[in-house]
Amino acid sequence: MGSTTTLSNEHADAFSSINERPVDDISLEFFYKPHTITLLAVSIASVIYTAFVRDETNTQDNLWSGICCVIFFFLIISVLTFPNGPFTRPHPAVWRIVFGMSVLYLLALLFLLFQSYSTVYEIMYWVDPNLRNFHIDMDKEYAVNCTDITLARVWSHVDVFAWGHFLGWAFKALLFRHAGLLWAISIMWEITEIAFAHLLPNFKECWWDSLILDVLICNGLGIWFGLKICKALEMRAYKWVSIRDISSTTGKIKRAILQFTPVQWTPVRWLDPTSTYMRFCALSQLVVFWQISELNTFFLKHIFEMPPSHPLVIARLCLIGVIVAPSVRQYYTYVTDPKCKRVGTQCWVYGAIMVTESMLCIKNGKELFGQAQVCNVIIWLVIQMLVSIGCVYGMVLYHRYFESAEESAGDSPKKAN
């Protein structure tokens, strides 16, 4: 009986560490004490003031104010009740708000899923009337004159999107922290673009743009840069001092800025020689799911006709970027820690968002998907599965033979001494 209780407590602790991680060392108690009554009083006072003082003559402003008030109170409740996930910096309340925003986004997607295509468009036009004037130019030609390779033409492709590729892959490197996994996702994305180029014209690229600029330069440098940051953070000694114990003003400011950095940097080991088949399948699954999540970005803005620079597109990218950080960490712990028997709440919500976005695209893009070349999609699915399994299996072999050999070689001088 006692051993069973101890085992269940270990499982609960493993899940708590990724779902609602406690703050290990509190230096300023004021910011970590509950202020529920104060928060309630301030919230109600703000609502009373805005509800009775503001001008109510404009119906659209009234609707916007009501929506903003609902979001405001939902995020307040998120701070009070939702889990903060695996992170505690800069403050657990920040990650509770992120979780609340992810739930709100999921609820909005589910609402749109039950609306007709025309109704969704009317809602979008109500949010931004300027979208009525934007239409995707399906006649625009991509990947033209690919044999004309000059330095000036190649340089002209190094635009804001190239920097977006670089920064995006640096961010992904900080999330996954595994070169093999990152390169597998990078190569698979280029195959995904080829498979869906007949549906999304902007996926058409010249071979040198796809292989050299995208995979090798932008993605490759981003992966290299991100992994270098990971290595530096792993080698750093983490010894935190309370801001009250720092005498100089400069030191206090530096400590306040460092509050926005990780409390520690744990090395990631997705695979090891003792990995089970379940972990192997889970990692292969992650590569495929990541492709679907990336595809949602392009299909959403294509089906609902939004320019890449539209605030809704940028806001979604920023929100997904923030959501995916705790989600990947929770997924990693669930896959690698035998004591963790449940996937984290934020990861669960992110999975629901990914599936709902896909369903929204399929439901409202029937005309677009009716033009799909089934052969291309089937080949894409087969290649996805084969490459994902092949890359993950290659990583298993690397960890089993090469890395083990390196560790043995490193230990032998110590044993000789």
Side-chain angles (χ1 to χ4, degrees):
M1 183 70 178
S3 60
T4 306
T5 305
T6 304
L7 191 62
S8 63
N9 289 336
E10 289 179 355
H11 291 166
D13 291 341
F15 177 72
S16 298
S17 67
I18 62 168
N19 201 62
E20 193 160 10
R21 186 184 182 90
V23 181
D24 297 326
D25 186 17
I26 298 175
S27 56
L28 294 176
E29 288 83 359
F30 174 80
F31 292 105
Y32 292 91
K33 285 183 177 179
H35 302 282
T36 53
I37 303 299
T38 305
L39 189 60
L40 178 64
V42 172
S43 302
I44 292 176
S46 302
V47 171
I48 291 173
Y49 177 78
T50 53
F52 288 94
V53 174
R54 57 178 298 277
D55 183 15
E56 298 180 346
T57 55
N58 191 308
T59 304
Q60 183 157 339
D61 289 344
N62 294 341
L63 291 171
W64 270 117
S65 298
I67 292 172
C68 290
C69 183
V70 169
I71 294 173
F72 171 74
F73 258 90
F74 188 86
L75 295 180
I76 291 294
I77 295 171
S78 302
V79 172
L80 296 175
T81 61
F82 283 179
N84 56 274
F87 303 139
T88 59
R89 291 291 185 91
H91 193 281
V94 173
W95 295 104
R96 289 174 188 149
I97 291 173
V98 168
F99 184 77
M101 292 171 67
S102 67
V103 173
L104 277 174
Y105 180 57
L106 174 60
L107 295 177
L109 289 173
L110 291 170
F111 174 79
L112 293 176
L113 188 62
F114 289 88
Q115 311 306 312
S116 65
Y117 184 68
S118 58
T119 304
V120 175
Y121 255 120
E122 289 301 321
I123 293 172
M124 291 176 58
Y125 293 156
W126 178 77
V127 172
D128 184 7
N130 293 325
L131 286 174
R132 292 182 184 273
N133 304 322
F134 178 81
H135 295 285
I136 293 176
D137 185 9
M138 295 297 292
D139 296 326
K140 183 178 179 180
E141 293 184 341
Y142 294 88
V144 180
N145 298 327
C146 293
T147 54
D148 180 20
I149 307 174
T150 61
L151 186 61
R153 190 180 182 200
V154 172
W155 180 253
S156 67
H157 282 71
V158 183
D159 51 11
V160 65
F161 295 104
W163 284 104
H165 272 263
F166 171 79
L167 295 174
W169 280 98
F171 177 68
K172 290 169 189 171
L174 292 174
L175 292 178
F176 292 107
R177 310 179 203 173
H178 194 289
L181 186 60
L182 289 163
W183 278 108
I185 295 174
S186 175
I187 293 169
M188 283 309 306
W189 178 247
E190 296 304 319
I191 296 173
T192 300
E193 286 187 335
I194 295 171
F196 289 92
H198 63 287
L199 297 179
L200 300 171
N202 58 324
F203 274 7
K204 295 177 182 177
E205 296 176 326
C206 291
W207 65 268
W208 48 266
D209 191 2
S210 178
L211 292 177
I212 299 175
L213 283 180
D214 283 356
V215 176
L216 296 179
I217 297 180
C218 297
N219 300 0
L221 288 177
I223 292 170
W224 174 84
F225 181 69
L227 292 177
K228 282 293 182 183
I229 295 176
C230 294
K231 197 68 176 177
L233 291 173
E234 285 179 17
M235 296 173 65
R236 177 184 170 189
Y238 292 87
K239 186 178 180 181
W240 296 101
V241 180
S242 172
I243 196 170
R244 293 180 299 183
D245 299 333
I246 302 173
S247 56
S248 65
T249 305
T250 306
K252 289 181 182 290
I253 294 172
K254 182 180 178 182
R255 176 62 182 83
I257 294 172
L258 288 175
Q259 184 67 20
F260 292 87
T261 62
V263 66
Q264 61 183 2
W265 195 265
T266 308
V268 167
R269 193 181 181 91
W270 285 95
L271 292 165
D272 56 52
T274 61
S275 297
T276 62
Y277 286 107
M278 287 301 294
R279 191 191 296 193
F280 179 86
C281 294
L283 202 51
S284 302
Q285 200 176 54
L286 177 63
V287 176
V288 177
F289 284 170
W290 195 267
Q291 306 298 313
I292 296 172
S293 184
E294 296 270 13
L295 270 176
N296 288 342
T297 303
F298 293 91
F299 275 117
L300 282 171
K301 69 183 181 68
H302 184 88
I303 291 170
F304 297 108
E305 293 193 294
M306 290 181 286
S309 59
H310 194 273
L312 286 176
V313 177
I314 296 173
R316 179 197 167 275
L317 284 174
C318 293
L319 179 61
I320 293 296
V322 178
I323 292 171
V324 81
S327 299
V328 169
R329 187 65 193 180
Q330 290 178 341
Y331 189 79
Y332 169 78
T333 305
Y334 174 71
V335 168
T336 59
D337 189 354
K339 296 177 183 177
C340 187
K341 301 298 182 182
R342 297 163 58 192
V343 72
T345 314
Q346 181 67 88
C347 184
W348 189 95
V349 172
Y350 178 66
I353 287 173
M354 180 191 68
V355 174
T356 309
E357 284 184 340
S358 300
M359 289 192 295
L360 191 65
C361 291
I362 294 170
K363 179 176 180 287
N364 294 281
K366 292 176 182 177
E367 183 178 346
L368 177 66
F369 288 107
Q371 305 169 12
Q373 298 175 8
V374 179
C375 183
N376 279 18
V377 177
I378 293 174
I379 292 173
W380 172 76
L381 285 171
V382 172
I383 293 175
Q384 281 280 344
M385 293 171 62
L386 292 177
V387 174
S388 300
I389 294 172
C391 288
V392 175
Y393 186 66
M395 288 186 281
V396 171
L397 294 178
Y398 175 81
H399 285 288
R400 181 172 296 173
Y401 296 108
F402 294 96
E403 200 170 80
S404 299
E406 290 173 4
E407 290 177 358
S408 300
D411 291 340
S412 55
K414 296 179 182 178
K415 292 177 181 178
N417 292 332

